[in-house]
Each structure stands twice: as structure tokens, then as C-alpha cells.
Amino acid sequence: MTWLITGGAGYIGAHVVRALTEAGERTVVYDDLSTGIAERLPDDVPLEVGTVLDGVRLSKVIAGHGITGVVHLAGKKRVGESVDMPLHYYRENVEGLRVLLEAVTAAGVTSFVFSSSAAVYGMPDVELVTEDTPCAPLSPYGETKLAGEWLVRATGRTTGLATASLRYFNVAGAARPELADLGVHNLVPMVFEKLTEDAPAQIFGDDYPTPDGTCVRDYIHVVDLADAHVATARALAASPGRDLTLNIGRGEGVSVREMIDRINAITGHHRTPSVAPRRPGDPARVVASADRITAELGWTAKRDVQDMITSAWEGWLRRFPGAARL
Ligand code: UD1
């Protein structure tokens, strides 16, 4: 198989490329480099620069490289931004996917892995979220991911394309410092940024109905997430017509306060966090049941929160050496 990885120069995409190539698969990256970085890619992986809205170019790339499978990660992923720019998100995430699927089906590609999100669930009122928990996204971002899943599944049904939608929970960590997330949009890098400024980390609300009052999430190491893509890609390649929807999490809830305590212990920064108002739209608890992916593919996460924070911090120190305390 030769896999086209859209968004392969991004934080998660580059980890997926690395995992697939290490597993012996041929990969080609398609990325518009709006947030992707070419230097993240191994030298022997071809990079085609282009947008998923350009069907003509996609068709040329798919034919030119003899692509047989696609892992589609290209897209916009900032929840707040999606509230301000819904049309932009629908265009990039839904129209871009539709254009890509047109090129994919016309070319006879056999396998398609779609990058979805736990954001499809919205505010689930359950201890563990299964793939059958009703989806009720709270943001245009989550809506575009859910609509994307529908598009992918409907295309698979009519064309025989083997498909999978992978619902990522809270991704953190890095395989190597140079592959670390450069965005400061999620809890771990946002806390690192505060520590670097010698300011207290912020807890967005400590009056949630959780054991310590702070929000509980399911954090997954990006290397485990990338390995889940390899397992999924192989399963689709082996079973034409397969249709999977899978949570990718660890099934372990960790609170914001626990995460900040762990970050302080690992980085040697010991400022007491300050409590800020709740961030609108934050669910109290979102923790995956990862049973289905284990049953379907035999995949389980191998890395813990300690591994995530340690590897993310190494990446942070590469950019901000002055942040070191230990
Ligand atoms: C967010 C998105 C989700 C997306 C995921 C991965 C929302 C509502 N959800 O998840 O759709 O799939 O990112 O990109 O934005 N927090 C603090 N202090 C901080 C930063 C965060 O207390 O400085 C808290 C947040 O309020 C939240 C938790 O930490 O309770 C995790 O936040 P974050 O990393 O932004 O992820 P989610 O909001 O869970």
C-alpha cells in the first residue's frame, strides 16, 4: 500500500507519517503548510504542497504516486475559532473532505482513515463515553467532524471504500522534541507557557461536579495515537468494505488540577495555580471507553501521563531553553 497523509506536516500528522514509515508502509504527504512544517518530515517522504479544496491537484497526486490508501488529517481544529468562523470551518473540514472523497473514489483508492474528535460527543453525561453514546457537538468544529464521519460512512457504503473514523480524545506528548506541538491551545502547552512567564497556571473553573471540582479528561500520548492509525490502516487494507468508528483514548480520567500538579513535579516549577472562571462550553468529564478499538484491532495505549508531560516538556525546552528550572 502507498498511503497519502493529508495534513502530514502537522503535529499529529507527522507522528502518523513516522509510525507508518517505521511500520514499513510507503507514505506521501499532502499539506498546505498553513500550520504544517516541512522539516517535521523524514527526508525520504515526498511532500506535495496543496489544499484539499483543490480536486484537480489531489487527483494528480493520487495518480502520480499510485496512492491506494488515505489518512485524512488536514483540517481546522480550534474550537473557539470555529465559533467565530463557522463558514471557514465548514469549507475546510466538510467541503475539503467532500472534494478529497471525490478524488479518492474516482481513483479507486481502497482505504480511508478519517481524523475525527471526541468533540462530536459534546457534553456526555456518562462515566465512560462509548462510540454509541449519542453525538451532540457543541461547536461548529465538532459539527464538521460529525458531518465528516457521515460523509465518509455514506461514501464507503456506496463505493465499497473501507473507512474508519478515529475519535481522538486529548492528545499530548511527542515522539521527539522536534515533533512537539507548537500550538499553545491546549492544557499542557498553556500551562508550560505560564510557567515560562513565571506566572501561575490557570484552572478554568474548580466548581464542577467532579472529585476535585476541576474538569476531567482522557489524555492520550501522540505516539500511541499514531500507532492506532497504523493498526487501523492495516485493518482496512486487509478488509475491503470495513466501516469502523473508534474512540482513541486510555479510559482513564485525569483532572486539570492533577495535570498541573504532575506538570509542576516534572518541570520543577512550583507555583500554586490560580482559579479563573469556567471556560464556556467545557464539559465536566469526557473519558473514553477504549474497549471497542481493543476488541476490533488489539490496540491499547502503552504510554501514561508522565510520558506525555515529560516528552512535551523536552519539546518545549527546545524552543524555550530559559524555561528550565531543574
Ligand atoms: C479541546 C476541544 C476539543 C478538541 C481538543 C483537542 C473545547 C471545548 N474542546 O478539548 O474539541 O478535540 O481540545 O484539541 O475546546 N484548561 C485549564 N487551563 C488552561 C487550559 C485548559 O483549566 O490553561 C482546562 C480546560 O478548561 C479543560 C481542560 O483543561 O477543562 C482541557 O482543555 P483543552 O486542552 O483545551 O482540551 P479540551 O477542552 O478538553
Side-chain angles (χ1 to χ4, degrees):
M1 297 277 296
T2 301
W3 294 90
L4 185 70
I5 319 299
T6 73
Y11 160 57
I12 295 175
H15 282 90
V16 171
V17 169
R18 178 182 171 277
L20 281 168
T21 49
E22 283 182 7
E25 303 286 340
R26 289 182 54 208
T27 57
V28 176
V29 168
Y30 189 86
D31 199 300
D32 68 2
L33 298 183
S34 56
T35 53
I37 300 170
E39 289 70 33
R40 283 191 172 126
L41 299 174
D43 291 338
D44 53 352
V45 172
L47 167 64
E48 298 283 358
V49 179
T51 159
V52 285
L53 292 160
D54 185 347
V56 174
R57 173 130 176 77
L58 277 168
S59 295
K60 278 191 190 144
V61 168
I62 290 170
H65 289 280
I67 299 297
T68 46
V70 171
V71 183
H72 177 48
L73 296 110
K76 298 286 151 197
K77 65 169 188 180
R78 294 179 58 186
V79 172
E81 187 180 67
S82 80
V83 174
D84 297 333
M85 306 168 72
L87 297 179
H88 182 58
Y89 270 66
Y90 271 84
R91 181 175 152 82
E92 294 283 331
N93 292 4
V94 180
E95 174 63 5
L97 172 59
R98 193 196 62 76
V99 169
L100 173 61
L101 284 169
E102 240 169 29
V104 157
T105 50
V109 168
T110 58
S111 305
F112 194 90
V113 181
F114 174 57
S115 156
S116 186
S117 167
V120 298
Y121 295 114
M123 281 230 199
D125 189 18
V126 289
E127 272 292 291
L128 293 180
V129 179
T130 75
E131 291 81 352
D132 297 323
T133 300
C135 291
L138 289 170
S139 65
Y141 165 71
E143 291 165 11
T144 65
K145 287 295 169 184
L146 186 54
E149 291 190 7
W150 295 337
L151 221 53
V152 167
R153 193 169 308 121
T155 305
R157 276 202 200 110
T158 52
T159 63
L161 179 70
T163 61
S165 291
L166 303 183
R167 295 175 174 167
Y168 308 163
F169 280 66
N170 290 65
V171 186
R176 289 198 304 268
E178 57 274 26
L179 293 183
D181 189 4
L182 297 184
V184 187
H185 307 299
N186 293 107
L187 176 64
V188 173
M190 285 169 77
V191 172
F192 287 171
E193 185 171 64
K194 290 289 181 194
L195 301 182
T196 304
E197 294 163 355
D198 205 19
Q202 283 188 306
I203 294 174
F204 296 149
D206 68 349
D207 57 351
Y208 285 92
T210 58
D212 68 12
T214 70
C215 291
V216 173
R217 295 289 182 273
D218 188 345
Y219 295 89
I220 174 86
H221 197 299
V222 68
V223 172
D224 282 326
L225 177 75
D227 288 344
H229 287 73
V230 176
T232 305
R234 293 232 158 119
L236 294 190
S239 357
R242 200 156 177 193
D243 165 28
L244 295 167
T245 301
L246 301 170
N247 286 343
I248 309 192
R250 295 163 60 246
E252 186 188 307
V254 183
S255 77
V256 170
R257 196 178 279 284
E258 286 167 343
M259 282 298 280
I260 295 175
D261 287 348
R262 300 293 291 272
I263 292 171
N264 278 344
I266 289 166
T267 63
H269 287 259
H270 292 294
R271 276 255 203 174
T272 306
S274 66
V275 178
R278 287 185 179 198
R279 195 173 63 176
D282 271 340
R285 177 186 166 90
V286 189
V287 180
S289 160
D291 290 351
R292 186 186 284 181
I293 187 169
T294 305
E296 293 276 355
L297 307 179
W299 173 92
T300 49
K302 297 189 173 64
R303 292 157 187 86
D304 60 15
V305 162
Q306 177 90 9
D307 300 325
M308 293 176 222
I309 297 171
T310 306
S311 59
W313 183 239
E314 283 166 10
W316 187 267
L317 288 180
R318 186 169 177 268
R319 286 169 73 200
F320 304 105
R325 265 292 162 88
L326 291 176

